[in-house]
């Protein structure tokens, strides 16, 4: 599955507000769908890059030999889900913003995991 197809699939998740595939080395988005005035995906991609980097530094400082499966940020009306792609060279992550009232967090996590397995970058 290519990037465009993966992003379209992610946007089909019930409650999806926006999705991006992000290079956390540069903070640049390789592709994005959705978003809008209330959700600037380019800004979110850059900001979430810092979240991923901070968590990786923390794991290293703690001496944990673990990989991040996903990072969840819970807001009053939204879930922000960050899923680093374990198979991707160069450090990529999927970022999904989900409406809390319409989305199902467990299903969204499951769908992103499945997308990761099918995505070719």
């Amino acid at each position: 599955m290519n990037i465009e197809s993966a992003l379209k699939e992610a946007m089909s998740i019930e409650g999806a507000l926006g999705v991006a595939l992000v290079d956390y080395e540069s903070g640049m988005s390789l592709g994005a769908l959705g978003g809008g005035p209330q959700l600037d995906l380019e800004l979110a991609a850059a900001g979430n890059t810092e979240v991923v980097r901070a968590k990786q530094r923390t794991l290293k400082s703690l001496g944990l030999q673990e990989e991040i499966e996903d990072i969840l940020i819970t807001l009053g009306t939204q879930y922000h889900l960050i899923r680093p792609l374990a198979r991707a060279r160069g450090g990529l992550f999927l970022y999904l913003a989900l409406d809390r009232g319409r989305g199902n967090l467990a299903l969204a996590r499951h769908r992103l995991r499945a997308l990761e397995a099918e995505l070719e970058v």
Side-chain angles (χ1 to χ4, degrees), residues 23-87:
D23 175 344
Y24 65 76
E25 297 293 324
S26 68
M28 300 298 294
S29 172
L30 302 179
L33 282 178
Q38 302 298 319
L39 179 62
D40 181 333
L41 287 173
E42 292 300 319
L43 183 60
N48 286 314
T49 294
E50 294 304 317
V51 172
V52 173
R53 289 177 184 164
K55 189 60 188 175
Q56 287 180 327
R57 283 192 306 269
T58 302
L59 290 174
K60 185 176 180 179
S61 295
L62 292 170
L64 296 175
Q65 302 298 317
E66 297 280 344
E67 295 293 324
I68 300 169
E69 276 190 41
D70 54 39
I71 298 169
L72 171 64
I73 299 169
T74 305
L75 305 176
T77 61
Q78 298 175 3
Y79 293 121
H80 290 217
L81 192 55
I82 301 165
R83 180 156 186 101
L85 304 183
R87 299 176 334 158

Side-chain angles (χ1 to χ4, degrees), residues 77-117:
T77 61
Q78 298 175 3
Y79 293 121
H80 290 217
L81 192 55
I82 301 165
R83 180 156 186 101
L85 304 183
R87 299 176 334 158
R89 291 184 180 180
L92 302 176
F93 67 87
L94 279 168
Y95 164 68
L96 175 69
L98 192 65
D99 181 290
R100 277 183 75 168
R102 296 183 309 127
N104 178 314
L105 180 59
L107 180 59
R109 290 182 71 217
H110 174 74
R111 297 273 302 274
L112 285 184
R113 185 173 31 253
L115 279 175
E116 175 186 7

